[in-house]
Amino acid sequence: MMNTVSTIAIDVQAEPPWVLPSRGTVGMICLIVAEAAIFIIFFVSYVFYIGKSLTGPYPAQVLELPIFSTVCLLSSSFTVHFAVVALRRNSLRNCAIGLASTVLLGFLFLLSTAREWYHLIHDDGLTIRTNLFGSTFYSLVGLHATHVLIGLVMLCMALGISLAGRMKEAHSERLEVLSLYWHFVDGIWVAVFLVVYVIGR
Amino acid sequence: MRRPNPMTKPFKQIGFISALLSRRATWWMFLFADTVRAQSPTNIFDPAGTPAHSIFSLSMLVFSVTATIFLIVGALLLYALLRFRHRSEDPSREPAQIYGSNQIELAWTVIPILIVVMLFLTTTRVILTTESIPKPANALDVTVIGHQFWWEYRYPGFGVVTANELHVPISDSANPRPTYLKMSSADVTHSFWVPRLAGKMDLIPNRINTMWIDPQVPGLYLGQCAQYCGTQHAKMLLRVYAQSPADFTAWIKQQQKPANQDFTGNPAAAEGQTVFLHSACINCHTVAGTSATGRFGPDLTHLASRDTLASGSIQNTPENLKKWIDDPSSMKPGALMPPMHLNDHDLSAITAYLTTLH
Amino acid sequence: MADSTPVMEGLDQSLAVKRPRLEAIYEWITTVDHKKIGLMYIAYALIFLVVGGFEALLMRIQLAVPNNHFVSPQVFNRLFTMHGTTMVFFMGMPMLFGFANYLVPLMIGARDMAFPRLNAFSFWISAFGGLLLYFSYFGGSGLYGAGSAPDVGWFAYAPLTANVFSPGHSTDYWTLAVFLSGIGSIGTALNIVTTIICMRCKGMKMSRLPLLIWLYLVMSSMVFIAVGPLTAAQIMLTLDRYVGSHFFDTQAGGSAVLWMHYFWIFGHPEVYILVLPAFAFVNEIVPVFSRKAIFGYPAMVAASIAIGFISLSVWAHHMFTVGLGPAGNTFFVFATMVISVPTGIKIFNWLATIWGGDVHFAVPMMFCIGFLFQFLIAGLTGIMLSVAPFDWQLSASYFVVAHFHYVLVGAIVFALFGAFYYWYPKVTGRMMSEILGKWHFWLFLIGFHLTFDFMHVPGLLGMPRRIYTYEAGRGWEMWNLIVSVGAIFQVAGIACFVFNLVRSYFRGEIADHDPWDAWTLEWATSSPPPSYNFAIDPTVHSRRPLWDLKHPEDPDSDYE
């Protein structure tokens, strides 16, 4: 057997403990940066085309502040945070409650968006091909809604695992990584709200 | 164990060598520029207008700077590779390990920054003198519209519409009269590039770009579309005819006239006009003074006054014209004009008619 | 010297067990081991290198003489589109990600990448993208026609890509293939960043990372920021083509220039994403064959990060002719010129590394020397092009084509060849043939210079790019002929290379764990490494752990 000494002998006690960041968190941050880059381009398109539609309907005519959906989505960030904190403290029941509330609020958000779109398409005659406003609005809000949907699917899976009693305190870091994604989705919504419904109208 | 830093000595030598090299570099460049100058009608080093001239001077400066940098760094690299190559000595002795030097890093950061600043300022000056100068009152206005795969030229001040051959008056220093081109596109992105006159400018749909040219010597200046626009991008050629003021005025007057209707002694042409006006040609082409008012294809009012067909790629002769009308894709595959499926009699008649449109 | 390096031998010696072929194939298809995935990426990229090169050869035959009829304009337009798309997305990116996959865990003393299954997924989805692109030859017109590949150019400017100007599905194949490649790129980049930050061995602080690792860290971070805009633009293009939206529909008020911005916000960082790994290879090879530590490690790190940042701000130098106005043009001139400063710093540091060293002209080093001269020239022609008025003449001409091929082939491909010869012994346990390597080098060098040096001239004489033929009498004929002849030499060089790769696998001289007497961790394990890389997790105290072990009387850790 070969000599497997691989280092010069050193004083082990003098070395500080070797601690590295967690993989899940770093990976999720990378994903968030990449997704943010995609979203930013959709925002740029939206802003660039403000006022440039050749025909109506125009934002001021058809858009109303989505208060209900915003409240739902922003609260869901609190509930998912509550779930993570609960899991860290090993209160598994509270974790399940937090996750369930998040799923519910997220689902309400999607429902609210669907209602808004139904109204826009059928009553106002705004579709993605109507004009530049339609193209940029539906693509941006739709991209966001898709991300909400993906997040909801993941949260449902987490909820299922939690309800089956298989979620443990040791998983709290993974749940936190998922909650980072959810916070990101929430943050994008804040930007959409400001750019589309406040500034753009 | 560590030798003193051997990096400081060459700096004095560099100063001397660089002076020598930069003079040689410049000399070589002008030699090179001259040798190729005569060989090409689209040589950017053979400027014939103010924008092209200022670009030429700037490019000579940039070439000198970059050539000097190349010669110095290249020479140092070559020297290092030769001087410090491995010679068969004691293989277990490693050379002195030198990890870096802050002063040297500073030096070769600051010097490039200075070069960059100098280049940037000279570049900005040329940008401004090309793009930001006020438009003279007597400038000629031409609207250029790019199509797949031809050029439409409109002279709004004169009510003239033509295609593919741009006529402009020369602009000499005593009497400067630049031509301002307002450019857009009817379909995809194109680019107008006549190297001897100016840099290129893109023709983009739903956008208006402006550039100006001022050829100083009468003659024909060549170029071609420089932004890939589809199948026949390669044959979307440019022909700019710079004419003396008298010649230009005569040309304009001719172009302002409606289409020729005098077919005395040319019954084929007379018949050709009738056939033309009853066929699908009029859907795409305009012949001023007749019922042909199509805008999709080039204006044919003065077709016979042009040297070329198919955007500069075919000589304008009756034989070529006949072949073109019969099946454009046989001469320019991918051209958007469809084969007209005319019988031979009608084909000859229409060709005879079109050749009278001076 | 090599004997005194303690080696972390495999604890089990079962590397040479033969397995039934089907089982071996199954193992490769389902593997999540970074080394195997890395090799699959590289093999895949080599195949596309040959395919893309073949496309280039066909183009050069067509352009060798004026008014040639070797291929039709439609075929030629597809050739340059496929050549560009293939070389960037299905040769360049996979090749460089393949090397990263193989080397990164080994060089930081880790056992595998951070997310092995994501690693496999990223490879397979990129691979699928490549197949989809070439399937377009059959499916492009929807199978009722002859089918055809995309012909819109690798940067697919709008509105040429709109339904009305590009009917059929060829453009959609381009969009989807590149979209999938982008997803694979983001996945691998995510893996690389997470691995580097979270899985370093003990003692490997960020300031002790090999420069290759730093460069891949910067490159992967750029991928996150750069690929997003392209993905977004492609979604918008697909929406335009399929559901009738108007993002790039100029008839409805949309903007063609917007596509250009989005594409080049991706496209410019993309070329730096391609070149940074080339720097990485050179950073590892040049010191070893100069027998000296890299000069100015902190400056090299700072310069790499600076290049990464600045490259995100220069994109519109591809759009100087679009009519941005003097303010816009001036800004991008400045940003582009600024990036030459950190790039120059890198070249000077490499020069200083060689200076005072003991230079061995082994094949990897020869390719790196080619890289140094050629990258210098490429950078200088880049400075010329950064001068906007000069670019007004030379944009979209063969001068630009020559410039970027000088970087892509002269710098990146040369560095890649160097990397192949350098790490082949580690991967296979055998040396590549030096003689064949030298044939490869000289043939390819001659071909490269014949083609790409002389290619600058037609650009200066007014020849635009992407033309399937040209008129006689423009003064372009002789230069195009020389350029085309050079292509043949390059083909010969590549043939030598491929032959060398295959032959050396079976007949190459057996290599021990550290044939080059190098200093980074990958040389401390066997050749090829066992599946777990290191039997015992290493601990390092400097940037060159093996130097410290080989020179215990004068370790690097005394000086850092």
Side-chain angles (χ1 to χ4, degrees):
Chain A
M1 179 100 147
M2 293 223 33
N3 180 6
T4 51
V5 169
S6 59
T7 68
I8 301 171
I10 45 143
D11 180 7
V12 180
Q13 280 86 358
E15 289 277 313
W18 185 244
V19 171
L20 291 168
S22 98
R23 289 184 294 149
T25 312
V26 173
M28 181 53 74
I29 292 175
C30 292
L31 181 66
I32 287 174
V33 170
E35 297 269 38
I38 299 179
F39 270 103
I40 285 176
I41 297 300
F42 279 92
F43 278 108
V44 168
S45 284
Y46 189 86
V47 170
F48 181 77
Y49 283 134
I50 288 179
K52 295 214 172 85
S53 293
L54 298 180
T55 65
Y58 300 103
Q61 293 170 336
V62 299
L63 287 184
E64 283 160 18
L65 281 182
I67 305 283
F68 177 69
S69 39
T70 307
V71 165
C72 282
L73 199 60
L74 290 181
S75 330
S76 69
S77 259
F78 285 101
T79 53
V80 80
H81 180 68
F82 173 75
V84 169
V85 166
L87 188 61
R88 263 196 232 126
R89 282 191 270 113
N90 208 15
S91 46
L92 304 173
R93 206 172 136 259
N94 283 345
C95 174
I97 292 173
L99 284 175
S101 322
T102 311
V103 170
L104 178 65
L105 289 167
F107 185 66
L108 284 176
F109 171 86
L110 282 182
L111 216 57
S112 176
T113 303
R115 257 188 84 225
E116 182 195 15
W117 283 24
Y118 183 83
H119 171 67
L120 284 170
I121 294 171
H122 286 269
D123 300 332
D124 297 318
L126 180 73
T127 65
I128 197 170
R129 51 164 48 171
T130 308
N131 56 10
L132 289 170
F133 165 54
S135 299
T136 51
F137 173 80
Y138 282 110
S139 57
L140 175 58
V141 177
L143 188 70
H144 175 260
T146 312
H147 282 72
V148 172
L149 188 62
I150 294 172
L152 269 186
V153 167
M154 307 297 295
L155 284 167
C156 279
M157 280 165 45
L159 179 60
I161 295 173
S162 172
L163 289 176
R166 287 164 161 248
M167 193 170 280
K168 306 275 185 283
E169 185 192 343
H171 300 140
S172 61
E173 204 201 292
R174 292 196 196 170
L175 191 62
E176 178 164 11
V177 168
L178 177 56
S179 78
L180 271 180
Y181 178 80
W182 192 252
H183 293 312
F184 165 68
V185 164
D186 220 345
I188 294 286
W189 178 251
V190 170
V192 171
F193 184 83
L194 286 173
V195 171
V196 175
Y197 292 94
V198 176
I199 298 174
R201 267 196 314 162
Chain B
M1 199 70 173
R2 307 275 165 190
R3 291 207 301 266
N5 197 325
M7 291 298 300
T8 46
K9 213 170 80 175
F11 272 113
K12 297 192 197 91
Q13 296 163 340
I14 286 175
F16 171 68
I17 295 172
S18 66
L20 207 65
L21 288 175
S22 59
R23 273 181 39 221
R24 296 247 48 164
T26 322
W27 181 79
W28 272 108
M29 254 144 27
F30 275 106
L31 180 66
F32 178 70
D34 278 335
T35 27
V36 295
R37 189 187 282 251
Q39 292 171 7
S40 168
T42 48
N43 183 358
I44 70 166
F45 291 148
D46 189 10
T50 311
H53 272 294
S54 31
I55 293 175
F56 176 70
S57 321
L58 182 59
S59 61
M60 285 297 115
L61 170 68
V62 175
F63 262 132
S64 322
V65 171
T66 50
T68 310
I69 296 173
F70 171 67
L71 289 168
I72 296 176
V73 180
L76 283 171
L77 197 49
L78 204 57
Y79 175 76
L81 291 167
L82 292 172
R83 161 88 170 76
F84 298 106
R85 70 187 182 282
H86 173 70
R87 281 152 251 225
S88 335
E89 299 165 3
D90 176 11
S92 64
R93 253 200 69 222
E94 306 277 33
Q97 300 295 302
I98 299 178
Y99 296 93
S101 154
N102 282 335
Q103 299 98 306
I104 292 178
E105 299 286 353
L106 201 62
W108 64 43
T109 307
V110 167
I111 295 173
I113 289 179
L114 294 173
I115 297 176
V116 161
V117 168
M118 182 269 290
L119 279 178
F120 172 67
L121 292 173
T122 35
T123 304
T124 307
R125 192 164 54 79
V126 175
I127 294 177
L128 291 174
T129 55
T130 310
E131 292 199 304
S132 276
I133 53 173
K135 181 174 156 189
N138 66 340
L140 173 67
D141 282 313
V142 178
T143 306
V144 183
I145 299 176
H147 296 259
Q148 281 179 319
F149 306 99
W150 58 281
W151 306 90
E152 177 181 346
Y153 298 117
R154 310 178 82 90
Y155 295 72
F158 298 99
V160 167
V161 178
T162 183
N164 293 327
E165 295 182 0
L166 176 65
H167 289 247
V168 298
I170 57 165
S171 171
D172 60 48
S173 43
N175 209 357
R177 192 182 182 198
T179 302
Y180 269 68
L181 304 172
K182 214 148 72 147
M183 306 157 101
S184 187
S185 168
D187 40 38
V188 299
T189 306
H190 303 273
S191 193
F192 185 95
W193 189 28
V194 181
R196 292 191 63 204
L197 294 182
K200 65 176 66 67
M201 179 64 86
D202 289 356
L203 286 78
I204 301 173
N206 199 26
R207 183 188 180 90
I208 297 179
N209 280 335
T210 317
M211 66 177 280
W212 59 276
I213 55 174
D214 65 344
Q216 277 133 24
V217 175
L220 171 61
Y221 298 92
L222 299 178
Q224 61 189 92
C225 176
Q227 185 62 261
Y228 177 63
C229 50
T231 312
Q232 274 299 347
H233 163 65
K235 292 205 173 168
M236 197 170 154
L237 307 181
L238 283 162
R239 297 172 75 86
V240 179
Y241 292 82
Q243 301 179 299
S244 66
D247 287 342
F248 177 71
T249 312
W251 180 82
I252 281 277
K253 286 216 161 16
Q254 176 64 24
Q255 296 289 316
Q256 281 173 321
K257 295 188 193 146
N260 170 45
Q261 301 267 17
D262 177 14
F263 306 118
T264 46
N266 197 346
E271 188 196 347
Q273 184 186 45
T274 316
V275 177
F276 179 85
L277 291 176
H278 285 91
S279 72
C281 312
I282 62 172
N283 290 323
C284 290
H285 293 285
T286 297
V287 179
T290 70
S291 56
T293 52
R295 297 271 303 267
F296 190 72
D299 187 300
L300 299 180
T301 312
H302 300 281
L303 178 65
S305 71
R306 304 208 268 257
D307 290 335
T308 58
L309 302 171
S311 193
S313 60
I314 305 170
Q315 284 300 311
N316 187 0
T317 64
E319 301 75 42
N320 282 340
L321 182 57
K322 186 170 174 191
K323 246 191 357 182
W324 172 262
I325 298 170
D326 185 35
D327 184 7
S329 283
S330 66
M331 304 175 95
K332 193 171 172 181
L336 294 184
M337 175 167 156
M340 297 313 293
H341 296 306
L342 297 166
N343 61 54
D344 201 54
H345 177 81
D346 285 346
L347 190 56
S348 307
I350 289 186
T351 308
Y353 168 60
L354 290 173
T355 49
T356 67
L357 294 180
H358 288 283
Chain C
M1 235 180 333
D3 300 329
S4 65
T5 312
V7 175
M8 286 159 263
E9 278 297 351
L11 286 175
D12 72 72
Q13 306 292 332
S14 59
L15 297 167
V17 165
K18 279 204 146 290
R19 267 192 317 274
R21 188 152 297 168
L22 215 56
E23 208 184 294
I25 293 177
Y26 178 77
E27 191 197 314
W28 278 83
I29 293 178
T30 56
T31 185
V32 295
D33 173 33
H34 71 101
K35 296 185 289 299
K36 291 210 175 63
I37 293 176
L39 290 176
M40 286 197 289
Y41 261 121
I42 293 174
Y44 176 88
L46 278 173
I47 295 172
F48 279 108
L49 175 67
V50 171
V51 172
F54 181 64
E55 287 158 351
L57 188 63
L58 294 177
M59 287 194 278
R60 283 320 318 172
I61 296 176
Q62 166 67 11
L63 290 174
V65 293
N67 289 314
N68 204 357
H69 297 285
F70 180 65
V71 293
S72 70
Q74 290 90 340
V75 169
F76 187 90
N77 295 341
R78 285 177 213 137
L79 282 174
F80 69 70
T81 305
M82 294 295 274
H83 170 77
T85 309
T86 302
M87 288 303 207
V88 172
F89 295 106
F90 302 109
M91 194 289 284
M93 298 295 275
M95 186 78 85
L96 299 169
F97 279 140
F99 273 94
N101 253 310
Y102 199 96
L103 293 173
V104 167
L106 281 170
M107 288 176 92
I108 63 173
R111 194 223 179 287
D112 204 313
M113 296 286 255
F115 303 112
R117 280 171 295 187
L118 176 65
N119 205 5
F121 169 75
S122 301
F123 169 71
W124 288 108
I125 205 168
S126 306
F128 181 61
L131 294 176
L132 199 61
L133 181 68
Y134 278 85
F135 181 73
S136 64
Y137 274 111
F138 307 109
S141 288
L143 282 175
Y144 49 79
S148 58
D151 62 350
V152 289
W154 89 278
F155 37 85
Y157 273 177
L160 185 60
T161 47
N163 260 327
V164 56
F165 298 112
S166 289
H169 297 302
S170 38
T171 303
D172 301 312
Y173 277 99
W174 178 86
T175 313
L176 275 173
V178 175
F179 179 80
L180 292 176
S181 157
I183 294 188
S185 297
I186 292 181
T188 309
L190 195 157
N191 238 326
I192 293 174
V193 171
T194 311
T195 307
I196 293 174
I197 293 184
C198 305
M199 295 181 61
R200 288 166 280 139
C201 66
K202 250 212 282 253
M204 189 171 281
K205 307 193 276 202
M206 296 299 278
S207 58
R208 291 183 188 154
L209 288 176
L211 281 175
L212 181 144
I213 304 292
W214 267 113
L215 279 156
Y216 267 109
L217 181 63
V218 175
M219 173 258 211
S220 302
S221 311
M222 288 166 68
V223 167
F224 299 135
I225 304 176
V227 173
L230 180 64
T231 308
Q234 289 174 322
I235 295 174
M236 294 177 190
L237 178 64
T238 307
L239 288 173
D240 272 12
R241 286 176 62 85
Y242 276 92
V243 301
S245 59
H246 307 292
F247 288 100
F248 309 115
D249 176 8
T250 49
Q251 303 297 320
S255 166
V257 176
L258 201 60
W259 170 272
M260 294 186 198
H261 277 296
Y262 293 160
F263 186 86
W264 290 115
I265 289 176
F266 153 77
H268 194 81
E270 167 69 12
V271 306
Y272 280 93
I273 286 169
L274 290 171
V275 90
L276 253 46
F279 295 163
F281 303 143
V282 174
N283 275 322
E284 297 302 321
I285 297 174
V286 165
V288 167
F289 292 95
S290 310
R291 307 311 304 160
K292 263 182 83 207
I294 192 87
F295 188 93
Y297 175 98
M300 288 296 240
V301 173
S304 308
I305 296 176
I307 290 174
F309 267 110
I310 302 173
S311 73
L312 299 169
S313 70
V314 303
W315 76 89
H317 67 226
H318 300 268
M319 296 164 61
F320 279 142
T321 59
V322 155
L324 296 171
N329 285 338
T330 311
F331 171 77
F332 286 103
V333 167
F334 182 68
T336 311
M337 287 185 176
V338 162
I339 208 172
S340 69
V341 176
T343 314
I345 289 175
K346 291 186 87 74
I347 297 182
F348 300 138
N349 275 290
W350 285 317
L351 174 57
T353 305
I354 297 174
W355 197 281
D358 186 28
V359 182
H360 295 250
F361 290 95
V363 175
M365 184 61 169
M366 289 165 74
F367 278 106
C368 288
I369 293 170
F371 165 93
L372 286 170
F373 281 103
Q374 285 148 193
F375 182 66
L376 175 64
I377 296 175
L380 292 172
T381 55
I383 302 247
M384 291 181 211
L385 288 166
S386 75
V387 173
F390 195 54
D391 189 74
W392 292 337
Q393 285 282 24
L394 294 175
S395 161
S397 75
Y398 264 87
F399 189 89
V400 173
V401 179
H403 159 74
F404 69 69
H405 280 94
Y406 232 88
V407 192
L408 291 169
V409 185
I412 296 174
V413 171
F414 268 72
L416 266 172
F417 286 148
F420 266 102
Y421 284 88
Y422 184 62
W423 277 293
Y424 188 91
K426 175 55 55 185
V427 172
T428 60
R430 289 180 184 265
M431 305 295 286
M432 286 181 82
S433 153
E434 280 276 307
I435 299 175
L436 276 174
K438 291 194 164 128
W439 273 98
H440 168 202
F441 174 77
W442 288 109
L443 280 171
F444 197 78
L445 186 78
I446 292 170
F448 170 79
H449 282 283
L450 274 177
T451 298
F452 296 110
D453 286 2
F454 293 102
M455 194 186 273
H456 290 88
V457 182
L460 296 171
L461 297 182
M463 182 175 178
R465 59 190 285 198
R466 300 176 156 188
I467 53 176
Y468 73 95
T469 190
Y470 52 94
E471 304 249 302
R474 295 284 182 112
W476 304 338
E477 300 91 312
M478 175 178 73
W479 310 105
N480 271 290
L481 188 59
I482 299 175
V483 168
S484 294
V485 165
I488 301 173
F489 281 87
Q490 290 178 63
V491 169
I494 300 269
C496 277
F497 172 60
V498 173
F499 180 62
N500 198 354
L501 274 178
V502 175
R503 185 178 179 278
S504 305
Y505 186 76
F506 299 105
R507 308 249 221 108
E509 185 194 317
I510 304 275
D512 69 5
H513 64 96
D514 181 17
W516 308 116
D517 195 2
W519 305 308
T520 40
L521 278 180
E522 77 271 27
W523 304 105
T525 184
S526 59
S527 297
S531 61
Y532 45 83
N533 296 344
F534 299 97
I536 296 176
D537 283 340
T539 305
V540 303
H541 298 280
S542 76
R543 294 170 192 149
R544 296 189 295 169
L546 296 197
W547 171 278
D548 292 353
L549 290 173
K550 293 173 191 176
H551 300 266
E553 76 289 355
D554 189 27
D556 268 3
S557 45
D558 282 354
Y559 298 94
E560 285 177 13

Short mmCIF file of all heavy atoms in Angstrom, two decimals, chain C residues 8 15 73 80 95 116 146 166 187 210 230 237 245 288 298 384 422 466 472 520 552:
data_model
loop_
_atom_site.label_atom_id
_atom_site.label_comp_id
_atom_site.label_asym_id
_atom_site.label_seq_id
_atom_site.Cartn_x
_atom_site.Cartn_y
_atom_site.Cartn_z
N MET C 8 -2.09 9.63 -4.40
CA MET C 8 -3.25 9.03 -3.80
C MET C 8 -3.74 7.92 -4.72
O MET C 8 -4.57 8.13 -5.59
CB MET C 8 -4.31 10.09 -3.56
CG MET C 8 -3.92 10.95 -2.39
SD MET C 8 -4.72 12.53 -2.39
CE MET C 8 -3.45 13.51 -3.15
N LEU C 15 -9.67 -1.14 -11.84
CA LEU C 15 -10.00 -0.30 -12.99
C LEU C 15 -10.10 -1.08 -14.29
O LEU C 15 -10.74 -0.66 -15.22
CB LEU C 15 -8.92 0.78 -13.16
CG LEU C 15 -8.79 1.75 -11.99
CD1 LEU C 15 -7.51 2.55 -12.13
CD2 LEU C 15 -9.98 2.67 -11.96
N PRO C 73 -27.74 29.26 -54.00
CA PRO C 73 -27.79 30.24 -52.92
C PRO C 73 -28.55 29.75 -51.71
O PRO C 73 -28.16 30.02 -50.57
CB PRO C 73 -28.49 31.45 -53.55
CG PRO C 73 -28.98 31.01 -54.87
CD PRO C 73 -28.24 29.81 -55.27
N PHE C 80 -24.09 28.59 -44.01
CA PHE C 80 -23.45 29.48 -43.04
C PHE C 80 -24.26 29.58 -41.76
O PHE C 80 -23.70 29.76 -40.68
CB PHE C 80 -23.09 30.86 -43.64
CG PHE C 80 -24.22 31.78 -43.99
CD1 PHE C 80 -24.99 32.37 -43.01
CD2 PHE C 80 -24.45 32.12 -45.31
CE1 PHE C 80 -26.01 33.24 -43.33
CE2 PHE C 80 -25.47 32.99 -45.65
CZ PHE C 80 -26.26 33.56 -44.67
N MET C 95 -17.91 21.48 -25.73
CA MET C 95 -16.50 21.16 -25.54
C MET C 95 -15.99 21.77 -24.24
O MET C 95 -15.34 21.12 -23.42
CB MET C 95 -15.69 21.68 -26.72
CG MET C 95 -14.25 21.28 -26.71
SD MET C 95 -14.01 19.59 -27.24
CE MET C 95 -13.94 19.84 -29.01
N PRO C 116 -25.02 15.97 -9.44
CA PRO C 116 -24.70 15.03 -10.53
C PRO C 116 -25.86 14.73 -11.47
O PRO C 116 -25.66 14.63 -12.68
CB PRO C 116 -24.27 13.76 -9.77
CG PRO C 116 -23.85 14.25 -8.44
CD PRO C 116 -24.71 15.42 -8.13
N ALA C 146 -39.41 19.29 -49.16
CA ALA C 146 -38.15 18.57 -49.10
C ALA C 146 -37.52 18.68 -47.72
O ALA C 146 -36.59 17.98 -47.41
CB ALA C 146 -37.19 19.13 -50.14
N SER C 166 -39.83 33.84 -43.51
CA SER C 166 -39.24 32.51 -43.32
C SER C 166 -40.36 31.53 -43.08
O SER C 166 -40.62 31.13 -41.94
CB SER C 166 -38.28 32.50 -42.13
OG SER C 166 -37.12 33.21 -42.41
N GLY C 187 -27.90 24.93 -16.74
CA GLY C 187 -27.75 23.84 -15.77
C GLY C 187 -26.32 23.54 -15.44
O GLY C 187 -25.92 23.42 -14.26
N PRO C 210 -6.89 27.21 -8.47
CA PRO C 210 -6.17 27.30 -9.74
C PRO C 210 -6.88 28.30 -10.65
O PRO C 210 -8.10 28.46 -10.58
CB PRO C 210 -6.29 25.87 -10.30
CG PRO C 210 -6.63 25.01 -9.16
CD PRO C 210 -7.36 25.86 -8.18
N LEU C 230 -31.20 35.69 -24.42
CA LEU C 230 -31.43 34.93 -25.64
C LEU C 230 -32.67 34.06 -25.50
O LEU C 230 -33.51 34.00 -26.38
CB LEU C 230 -30.22 34.05 -25.96
CG LEU C 230 -30.40 33.21 -27.23
CD1 LEU C 230 -30.53 34.09 -28.45
CD2 LEU C 230 -29.23 32.25 -27.40
N LEU C 237 -39.84 35.32 -30.07
CA LEU C 237 -39.87 35.01 -31.50
C LEU C 237 -40.86 33.90 -31.78
O LEU C 237 -41.64 33.95 -32.73
CB LEU C 237 -38.48 34.60 -31.97
CG LEU C 237 -38.37 34.19 -33.44
CD1 LEU C 237 -38.70 35.36 -34.34
CD2 LEU C 237 -36.97 33.68 -33.76
N SER C 245 -48.13 37.22 -31.90
CA SER C 245 -47.76 38.42 -31.14
C SER C 245 -46.89 39.31 -32.02
O SER C 245 -46.58 38.97 -33.16
CB SER C 245 -47.04 38.04 -29.86
OG SER C 245 -45.88 37.29 -30.15
N VAL C 288 3.43 25.41 -16.49
CA VAL C 288 4.07 24.09 -16.35
C VAL C 288 5.20 23.94 -17.36
O VAL C 288 6.28 23.43 -17.03
CB VAL C 288 3.01 22.98 -16.54
CG1 VAL C 288 3.67 21.63 -16.70
CG2 VAL C 288 2.07 22.97 -15.35
N PRO C 298 -2.95 37.49 -8.54
CA PRO C 298 -4.09 38.36 -8.19
C PRO C 298 -4.51 39.23 -9.36
O PRO C 298 -5.71 39.44 -9.57
CB PRO C 298 -3.55 39.21 -7.03
CG PRO C 298 -2.36 38.51 -6.53
CD PRO C 298 -1.77 37.78 -7.68
N MET C 384 -9.34 47.66 -33.53
CA MET C 384 -9.64 48.40 -34.77
C MET C 384 -11.14 48.49 -34.98
O MET C 384 -11.68 49.53 -35.33
CB MET C 384 -9.01 47.68 -35.96
CG MET C 384 -7.51 47.73 -36.01
SD MET C 384 -6.99 46.86 -37.51
CE MET C 384 -5.45 46.21 -36.98
N TYR C 422 -2.59 18.03 -23.32
CA TYR C 422 -2.10 18.14 -21.94
C TYR C 422 -2.82 17.16 -21.02
O TYR C 422 -2.19 16.49 -20.21
CB TYR C 422 -2.32 19.58 -21.48
CG TYR C 422 -1.80 19.91 -20.11
CD1 TYR C 422 -0.45 19.81 -19.80
CD2 TYR C 422 -2.67 20.37 -19.12
CE1 TYR C 422 0.02 20.14 -18.54
CE2 TYR C 422 -2.21 20.71 -17.86
CZ TYR C 422 -0.87 20.60 -17.58
OH TYR C 422 -0.41 20.93 -16.33
N ARG C 466 -21.69 36.61 -45.83
CA ARG C 466 -22.95 35.92 -46.10
C ARG C 466 -23.41 36.07 -47.54
O ARG C 466 -24.62 36.12 -47.79
CB ARG C 466 -24.04 36.41 -45.16
CG ARG C 466 -23.66 36.14 -43.72
CD ARG C 466 -24.65 36.69 -42.78
NE ARG C 466 -24.57 35.94 -41.52
CZ ARG C 466 -25.41 36.08 -40.54
NH1 ARG C 466 -26.38 36.94 -40.62
NH2 ARG C 466 -25.26 35.36 -39.45
N ALA C 472 -16.77 39.01 -60.43
CA ALA C 472 -15.36 39.16 -60.77
C ALA C 472 -15.09 40.65 -60.93
O ALA C 472 -15.99 41.44 -61.14
CB ALA C 472 -15.08 38.44 -62.08
N THR C 520 -0.93 20.97 -9.98
CA THR C 520 -2.29 21.07 -9.45
C THR C 520 -2.84 19.69 -9.11
O THR C 520 -2.29 18.68 -9.52
CB THR C 520 -3.21 21.79 -10.46
OG1 THR C 520 -2.89 21.35 -11.77
CG2 THR C 520 -3.02 23.29 -10.38
N PRO C 552 9.73 20.58 -0.72
CA PRO C 552 9.41 20.86 0.69
C PRO C 552 10.34 21.89 1.31
O PRO C 552 9.98 22.53 2.29
CB PRO C 552 9.53 19.51 1.39
CG PRO C 552 10.30 18.65 0.45
CD PRO C 552 10.09 19.17 -0.92
#
